[in-house]
């Protein structure tokens, strides 16, 4: 019964997000009470509320994922915001029937938010082994499995289908890929000519402090300088349309997470010892990362790039000097 109620709540939240975005798009004032009443009426009319009682059993989240969602919010592995995520399809310029690729969302939170703003197919690619099954479960639980497909990938080697996507959203992939030219080329090839990608990532100069700042990450960080990232895009053939500094906005989101943590720590019964250890580990790493961001030794940036409509069909693949021999 609890699982059914949770699933129903997720669908209600998705419907509310859609209603809020529709009101914003049409320049109308959003009436949350009226929107909720309409959603309830539709659920009763279609019998959807009763159907939720036959939902699958709840997923057993490991302590690591439980700790992260306590810090960053339900179904999130990093700082983020539903309202901001719903703007990504518009930022990309995606048509309602367009195919969107989402790289590395972590858990279903960002996907649910985007799905509330985009009615088309969404292809999700995730490299974290620790979260892939939880992500797939979240997609099913949110009722998105019919149009959201989740694939596990290796950032260093995966080859995406060529000229397949009408838009692409990548978060943190360039901070963890050991050979960024390969990833940039794959993004270029995967986009249809004229299609756009939004790439959000860290940027910074090499520093011994990065190891401590990213100690709780799921992979070794490979943070590159701002200018290097721009060069990767240029060399690949991607046209840069926007380069935004999101550091202050990102700091605010991260600090909100730590305010949430203060409340969580006051609820001793809300997590076990293993989760508490993971929270302590995460908090210590983020303490260093936040300091680097505040000092501008580390930046959070959003790049909007486009594959030119008249660009080459295939970009030459340079040699990967980091690849193993043989």
């Amino acid at each position: 019964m609890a699982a059914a109620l949770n699933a129903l709540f997720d669908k209600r939240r998705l419907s509310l997000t859609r209603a809020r975005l529709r009101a914003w798009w049409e320049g109308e004032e959003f009436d949350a009470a009226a929107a909720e009443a309409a959603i309830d009426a539709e659920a009763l009319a279609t019998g959807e509320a009763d159907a939720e009682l036959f939902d699958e059993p709840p997923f057993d989240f490991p302590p690591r994922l439980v700790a992260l969602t306590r810090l960053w919010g339900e179904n999130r592995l990093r700082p983020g915001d539903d309202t901001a995520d719903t703007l990504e399809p518009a930022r990309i310029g995606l048509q309602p029937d367009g195919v969107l690729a989402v790289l590395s969302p972590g858990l279903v939170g960002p996907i649910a938010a985007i799905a509330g703003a985009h009615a088309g197919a969404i292809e999700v690619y995730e490299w974290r082994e620790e979260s892939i099954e939880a992500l797939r479960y979240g997609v099913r639980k949110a009722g998105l499995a019919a149009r959201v497909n989740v694939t596990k990938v290796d950032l260093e080697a995966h080859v995406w289908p060529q000229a397949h996507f009408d838009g692409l959203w990548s978060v943190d992939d360039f901070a963890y890929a050991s050979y960024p030219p390969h990833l940039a080329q794959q993004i270029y090839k995967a986009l249809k000519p004229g299609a756009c990608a939004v790439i959000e990532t860290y940027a910074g100069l090499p520093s011994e402090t990065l190891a401590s700042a990213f100690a709780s990450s799921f992979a070794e960080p490979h943070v590159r300088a701002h200018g290097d990232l721009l060069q990767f895009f240029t060399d690949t053939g991607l046209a840069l349309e926007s380069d935004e500094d999101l550091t202050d906005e990102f700091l605010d989101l991260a600090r909100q997470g730590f305010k949430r943590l203060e409340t969580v720590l006051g609820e001793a019964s809300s997590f076990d010892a293993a989760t508490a250890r993971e929270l302590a580990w995460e908090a210590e790493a983020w303490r260093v990362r936040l300091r680097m961001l505040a000092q501008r030794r580390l930046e959070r940036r959003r790049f909007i790039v486009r594959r030119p409509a008249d660009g080459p069909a295939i970009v030459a693949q340079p040699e990967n000097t980091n690849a193993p021999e043989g």
Side-chain angles (χ1 to χ4, degrees), residues 45-197:
T46 60
E48 184 178 1
D50 292 336
E52 295 297 341
L53 296 178
F54 301 95
D55 218 27
E56 64 179 294
F59 184 81
D60 186 15
F61 281 76
R64 175 81 173 123
L65 299 186
V66 174
L68 288 166
T69 56
R70 293 294 172 83
L71 181 57
W72 305 124
E74 186 178 8
N75 289 319
R76 289 188 178 272
L77 293 187
R78 56 179 169 246
D81 177 74
D82 285 356
T83 302
D85 290 346
T86 59
L87 297 178
E88 295 302 338
R91 187 174 283 118
I92 291 170
L94 201 62
Q95 295 299 312
D97 60 348
V99 180
L100 173 66
V102 177
L103 278 56
S104 312
L107 293 176
V108 75
I111 299 301
I114 286 179
H118 176 59
I122 302 175
E123 294 288 334
V124 178
Y125 299 91
E126 177 59 58
W127 55 266
R128 299 172 184 84
E129 292 185 7
E130 297 87 347
S131 71
I132 186 71
E133 292 306 321
L135 172 58
R136 286 170 174 157
Y137 166 79
V139 168
R140 295 193 302 270
K141 183 180 176 185
L144 297 172
R147 63 186 180 97
V148 176
N149 183 60
V150 179
T151 303
K152 182 180 178 297
V153 298
D154 180 347
L155 276 183
E156 311 301 336
H158 189 74
V159 177
W160 278 270
Q162 292 195 23
H164 181 70
F165 299 114
D166 299 285
L168 183 146
W169 185 41
S170 164
V171 183
D172 285 346
D173 299 290
F174 280 90
Y176 294 106
S178 64
Y179 189 63
H182 170 79
L183 180 57
Q185 288 167 0
Q186 288 304 314
I187 289 175
Y188 178 99
K189 293 178 182 180
L191 290 171
K192 293 179 180 178
C196 178

Side-chain angles (χ1 to χ4, degrees), residues 15 38 46 67 151 153 159 197 233 279 286 297 302 306 318:
S15 298
T46 60
T151 303
V153 298
V159 177
F233 303 146
L279 271 172
W286 270 91
R297 290 187 291 157
R302 179 196 290 135
R306 188 177 300 276

Side-chain angles (χ1 to χ4, degrees), residues 66-67 69-71 257-271 275 279:
V66 174
T69 56
R70 293 294 172 83
L71 181 57
F258 277 88
K259 288 181 180 177
R260 188 182 301 113
L261 179 59
E262 292 178 8
T263 302
V264 170
L265 291 176
E267 301 171 353
S269 62
S270 64
F271 53 87
T275 301
L279 271 172

Side-chain angles (χ1 to χ4, degrees), residues 292-307:
M292 292 187 72
L293 286 163
Q295 295 172 347
R296 294 292 172 157
R297 290 187 291 157
L298 188 65
E299 292 182 335
R300 187 76 175 177
R301 304 201 74 88
R302 179 196 290 135
F303 304 98
I304 300 180
V305 296
R306 188 177 300 276
R307 174 175 174 172

